[in-house]
Amino acid sequence: MIIFKNISKVYQMGDQEVHALDNINIHIKKGEFVSIIGPSGSGKSTLMNIIGCLDTASDGQYLLDNLSIDSYKEKDLAKIRNRKIGFIFQNFNLIQKMSVYENVELPLIYQGVKSSERKKRVEQAIERVNLSYRMNHKPVELSGGQQQRVSIARAIVTNPSILLADEPTGALDSKTSSEIIDIFKELNSQGNTVVLITHDNKVALQAKRRICILDGKVDDTIADDKVGDVV
């Protein structure tokens, strides 16, 4: 599913080189629910961007569904993002003038899916996050938790290989955060691969496995019950 072999990422900042990732090796199998946790500046956002094909590594090999994508051009990476990865963001990234239905439908329009098939898949995705009764509402008419449910429905409507969630509970209260994590658990139980990026110890511990990132490296010295020490 996701294999990083000696992945490094170096940014040029003026005359200085910043090593965001240093020789990362990870393996996330199909159907796993994994959290990637680390403090601000640890490299977890860079790691997420490479997993999501939003950025490329400076060195090493990235295998996604057994395909080595290191030499892919931007147009090819865009196809992967559109078809293989469902993104969920902290700030929802919904289009305010569109209804719930229209927001969820948008990725399928980009894919060129026919209208009748779009309708079926959109309604199914919205039903999976228990928002059918809000289908025709605009984001401004929804709570934060409901907006995050819409973003999850938009992510799953394309049937991606991976759900990649970037701080999905960061803008939510604790009760609503728990409800969103329960949705991820349910999606994972139905076979979806979930990769959750977080700095929150409590959220990270809800996943079945945790990968700790510190100073651009995987920190294997931190046991699961000590994850909070890096936050």
Side-chain angles (χ1 to χ4, degrees):
M1 173 63 73
I2 296 171
I3 299 176
F4 275 23
K5 295 182 178 180
N6 304 313
I7 289 288
S8 294
K9 180 65 179 182
V10 179
Y11 293 103
Q12 193 71 38
M13 305 289 287
D15 295 332
Q16 290 187 323
E17 287 187 345
V18 177
H19 293 257
L21 297 177
D22 184 8
N23 201 39
I24 294 280
N25 290 280
I26 60 174
H27 185 188
I28 299 174
K29 298 178 182 178
K30 183 177 181 180
E32 279 201 279
F33 181 8
V34 175
S35 63
I36 296 175
I37 182 170
S40 177
S42 63
K44 66 182 187 299
S45 294
T46 301
L47 184 63
M48 181 207 73
N49 287 339
I50 294 175
I51 290 175
C53 299
L54 296 167
D55 199 356
T56 56
S58 302
D59 196 18
Q61 185 179 29
Y62 176 22
L63 296 170
L64 177 60
D65 290 342
N66 294 319
L67 296 174
S68 180
I69 64 170
D70 306 290
S71 61
Y72 279 27
K73 298 184 183 299
E74 173 53 33
K75 65 177 182 179
D76 300 313
L77 294 175
K79 289 179 181 178
I80 291 176
R81 291 194 297 268
N82 194 26
R83 298 185 180 277
K84 287 184 176 288
I85 303 169
F87 293 93
I88 300 106
F89 299 99
Q90 177 177 345
N91 295 321
F92 321 132
N93 287 13
L94 302 176
I95 298 176
Q96 296 300 310
K97 66 181 181 181
M98 289 185 171
S99 67
V100 168
Y101 183 98
E102 290 167 333
N103 268 282
V104 177
E105 181 186 33
L106 200 56
L108 298 180
I109 293 175
Y110 290 150
Q111 287 188 359
V113 177
K114 292 182 179 180
S115 177
S116 58
E117 177 67 13
R118 289 204 309 267
K119 184 176 187 298
K120 180 177 71 173
R121 288 167 64 174
V122 170
E123 290 177 350
Q124 287 175 344
I126 294 173
E127 184 177 358
R128 288 178 74 182
V129 297
N130 301 313
L131 272 183
S132 296
Y133 70 105
R134 295 291 238 172
M135 194 177 298
N136 297 314
H137 288 251
K138 300 271 197 318
V140 71
E141 301 171 303
L142 306 178
S143 68
Q146 288 172 334
Q147 289 186 63
Q148 192 59 288
R149 287 171 186 260
V150 177
S151 70
I152 293 171
R154 181 183 58 193
I156 64 177
V157 75
T158 58
N159 298 319
S161 302
I162 303 161
L163 294 178
L164 186 57
D166 180 20
E167 301 281 5
T169 62
L172 306 175
D173 60 54
S174 58
K175 180 178 181 298
T176 307
S177 295
S178 180
E179 293 171 353
I180 293 300
I181 293 300
D182 285 343
I183 292 176
F184 285 126
K185 289 180 177 179
E186 178 64 22
L187 291 170
N188 177 244
S189 73
Q190 295 169 2
N192 292 97
T193 302
V194 180
V195 180
L196 191 155
I197 314 298
T198 185
H199 70 279
D200 190 327
N201 169 40
K202 293 179 181 178
V203 171
L205 290 170
Q206 300 302 309
K208 294 179 180 178
R209 182 163 69 92
R210 286 150 292 277
I211 298 172
C212 302
I213 303 295
L214 191 62
D215 297 329
K217 299 180 180 181
V218 175
D219 193 341
D220 294 322
T221 68
I222 302 174
D224 284 347
D225 61 349
K226 297 294 185 181
V227 167
D229 291 351
V230 306
V231 178

